[in-house]
Amino acid sequence: LAVAATRWDANVLAMQEMLHQLMDILKMFFPGGNVVTNALALSTNSALKADALRGKPAMVQSILEEAMDFGYPQVTQAESLCELVLDTPSLEGKTVSALDALLRRRKKEGAEDHKTGAPTLDVTGAVPWRKAGIVYKKNEVYLDAIERVSALVGSDGELISGRVNGSIQMKVYLSGMPECKIGLNEKFMMEAESGYQNAASSAMEGRPTNVAQKACRSQVALDYIKFHQAVKLQNYESDHQVHFVPPDGEFELLSYTVSDSRNFTLPFTVTSWYKSLGRTRGELNVKIKADFPSSLVAFQVITWIPLPKSTVKVSMQATGGKTKSKYVDLANNQTHWKLSELRGGKEHKFKAIIEMMAGTELGGTSSGEVWEKKVPPLKLTFQVPMFTSTGLRIRFLKVHERSNYQPVKWVRYLTCAGDDYEVRVKH
């Protein structure tokens, strides 16, 4: 929990954003209690421990002094803070893993040319998120378009509600001061601009019904989009291309949300039903089908199946994947069915025979009968490379720098399950 105090009226959203930035910075500098083990890592999901802050009060104070000046945000880039707060050369090869990996990619002469006065110029210059004089032995750009799908699916396989949280993550190892340009789908726009708003547009070619067509459609309507500060918004508004001078290392270029179920496609059709076989036995069936092209393969497709509290034995069988007895977790009242790989268009079935104790609840009903009336939903986790539920596509990635070098460019797509991808069970 982070709290900010002010003596006068202030921009609440700016304060909230600064608190989030500060928390992310502290997590980068104090992951798991170690000093800057991953200073430039993008993941800030680890918990921030109070003991780590108490152990380094001088560093915390130094970070706060550089990040804010008289209460005004100044420096929120991790790499700039590393050079202002820490003695970067002394950390190489010792305590910093991600920063050390970044430094090793650079040529030694490029690091030597960067004098001690450069941090001040980086902060006060026109591009504070990138320093001048960076030189790499090999120029590379990695772009990952990642979408996390959260959904509530009915027992018949139809989507009840859902959303897609997407982001474009980048790793940039480029020399000099390059300018990058990324072309997204021709109609990758906000919902208010989309032609989906009126009834007439529903018949337009941007609304295909075929699943394969949806995966490669050119129309993507967004509810929310957030850009990195390096993006030139005026260019995006004019030609829907993302122009920016990239920071050095890892960063999130943009994030977006799609909540209208008509604007995204679920990668799987999952149906499930439960049938009672008596007072102490029941049968639970699951059928899953991959609704993407056969050229693609999903990995680690795991279906988490709930069990009654009175379960004593579970017998499982499936047409594919693993159904080992060690997957049964009676302590947490669940089991799971694991498909290491699932090719597009394929379908597999799962069946579990559940045996329960013969105890009874109040009113004379058995525990199995009580559970049958309120069967919890299934949960699904998966990863589908080279597939996006919204149909997002990177049309091009261009890099221009004064020296006219040709960088190596990598573009990947990944769709995975969000925090709550659930399927109701018919009973």
Side-chain angles (χ1 to χ4, degrees):
L1 178 64
V3 179
T6 178
R7 296 181 180 179
W8 53 82
D9 292 339
N11 189 328
V12 178
L13 293 179
M15 294 173 63
Q16 185 179 13
E17 180 64 22
M18 181 58 195
L19 289 175
H20 281 293
Q21 293 276 359
L22 182 60
M23 294 295 289
D24 290 342
I25 290 171
L26 292 176
K27 289 178 182 179
M28 291 178 185
F29 276 78
F30 301 95
N34 298 324
V35 181
V36 202
T37 56
N38 204 0
L40 297 181
L42 191 63
S43 176
T44 55
N45 295 326
S46 60
L48 179 63
K49 297 183 179 180
D51 293 339
L53 301 180
R54 295 191 189 100
K56 297 288 181 179
M59 181 175 290
V60 174
Q61 183 178 356
S62 181
I63 292 173
L64 293 176
E65 289 178 350
E66 299 296 345
M68 292 178 290
D69 187 13
F70 291 98
Y72 292 94
Q74 296 294 324
V75 184
T76 57
Q77 290 78 34
E79 187 173 7
S80 297
L81 282 172
C82 281
E83 299 196 357
L84 293 170
V85 174
L86 303 173
D87 184 11
T88 304
S90 65
L91 291 174
E92 185 174 357
K94 294 181 179 179
T95 59
V96 182
S97 58
L99 184 58
D100 177 52
L102 185 64
L103 292 173
R104 288 186 180 186
R105 288 176 175 267
R106 300 179 185 170
K107 291 183 177 179
K108 293 297 181 182
E109 57 269 23
E112 292 173 359
D113 291 340
H114 196 60
K115 301 299 181 181
T116 57
T120 304
L121 295 176
D122 294 338
V123 174
T124 60
V127 187
W129 53 86
R130 184 178 181 88
K131 69 178 71 174
I134 297 176
V135 180
Y136 283 99
K137 299 177 182 179
K138 183 178 181 181
N139 295 288
E140 298 175 298
V141 180
Y142 298 87
L143 188 151
D144 293 333
I146 303 174
E147 293 188 345
R148 293 175 172 82
V149 184
S150 299
L152 176 60
V153 182
S155 58
D156 56 354
E158 294 295 326
L159 177 64
I160 299 175
S161 63
R163 69 181 183 277
V164 175
N165 295 321
S167 64
I168 295 181
Q169 315 280 352
M170 295 193 70
K171 293 182 181 180
V172 176
Y173 307 114
L174 298 176
S175 304
M177 192 67 68
E179 293 187 6
C180 298
K181 182 167 64 173
I182 294 177
L184 305 176
N185 300 55
E186 295 180 358
K187 297 182 180 180
F188 189 81
M189 61 184 65
M190 296 296 292
E191 180 70 23
E193 304 175 40
S194 172
Y196 291 176
Q197 290 294 329
N198 51 59
S201 66
S202 62
M204 295 175 62
E205 60 182 0
R207 298 297 303 278
T209 56
N210 182 272
V211 173
Q213 292 176 349
K214 285 185 178 180
C216 62
R217 64 184 178 219
S218 62
Q219 182 102 17
V220 180
L222 305 177
D223 299 321
Y224 167 84
I225 186 168
K226 176 184 176 182
F227 291 101
H228 188 275
Q229 61 177 331
V231 176
K232 301 176 182 177
L233 298 180
Q234 63 274 18
N235 296 93
Y236 178 78
E237 293 174 354
S238 61
D239 56 13
H240 288 285
Q241 295 177 0
V242 183
H243 299 249
F244 60 100
V245 176
D248 193 32
E250 299 184 28
F251 66 98
E252 182 179 87
L253 179 64
L254 63 88
S255 60
Y256 58 91
T257 301
V258 179
S259 59
D260 190 342
S261 60
R262 297 173 299 175
N263 295 331
F264 66 89
T265 304
L266 296 182
F268 303 99
T269 298
V270 183
T271 56
S272 178
W273 62 96
Y274 176 82
K275 180 174 61 176
S276 176
L277 302 179
R279 292 176 61 87
T280 60
R281 298 179 76 244
E283 177 183 315
L284 195 148
N285 294 269
V286 181
K287 182 170 68 174
I288 183 171
K289 180 181 179 182
D291 289 332
F292 44 84
S294 59
S295 58
L296 303 180
V297 179
F299 297 95
Q300 299 299 317
V301 182
I302 304 177
T303 306
W304 299 89
I305 300 163
L307 298 173
K309 294 182 179 180
S310 58
T311 301
V312 294
K313 183 180 178 181
V314 180
S315 302
M316 301 179 291
Q317 61 183 36
T319 58
K322 299 178 181 179
T323 57
K324 298 180 180 180
S325 58
K326 66 178 182 180
Y327 292 166
V328 179
D329 186 2
L330 296 181
N332 294 317
N333 304 314
Q334 66 177 9
T335 184
H336 66 271
W337 169 35
K338 180 179 180 181
L339 291 163
S340 299
E341 295 184 1
L342 179 58
R343 183 166 293 277
K346 296 293 184 179
E347 179 181 291
H348 289 289
K349 298 180 180 179
F350 168 89
K351 182 173 70 172
I353 302 298
I354 304 171
E355 298 184 13
M356 296 161 281
M357 292 186 295
T360 58
E361 304 287 343
L362 295 176
T365 58
S366 65
S367 56
E369 293 173 342
V370 173
W371 189 78
E372 181 183 0
K373 295 178 181 178
K374 48 181 180 180
V375 181
L378 311 177
K379 292 186 178 180
L380 201 68
T381 59
F382 54 84
Q383 295 181 358
V384 189
M386 305 309 295
F387 174 84
T388 56
S389 290
T390 61
L392 169 67
R393 284 294 178 269
I394 306 299
R395 295 191 291 117
F396 59 82
L397 170 58
K398 298 180 180 179
V399 179
H400 175 70
E401 212 274 335
R402 294 174 59 183
S403 59
N404 290 324
Y405 57 74
Q406 296 297 322
V408 179
K409 294 176 283 189
W410 304 86
V411 178
R412 299 183 300 181
Y413 303 92
L414 176 66
T415 296
C416 56
D419 296 333
D420 48 356
Y421 195 107
E422 299 182 343
V423 181
R424 289 180 175 175
V425 180
K426 184 179 180 180
H427 50 83

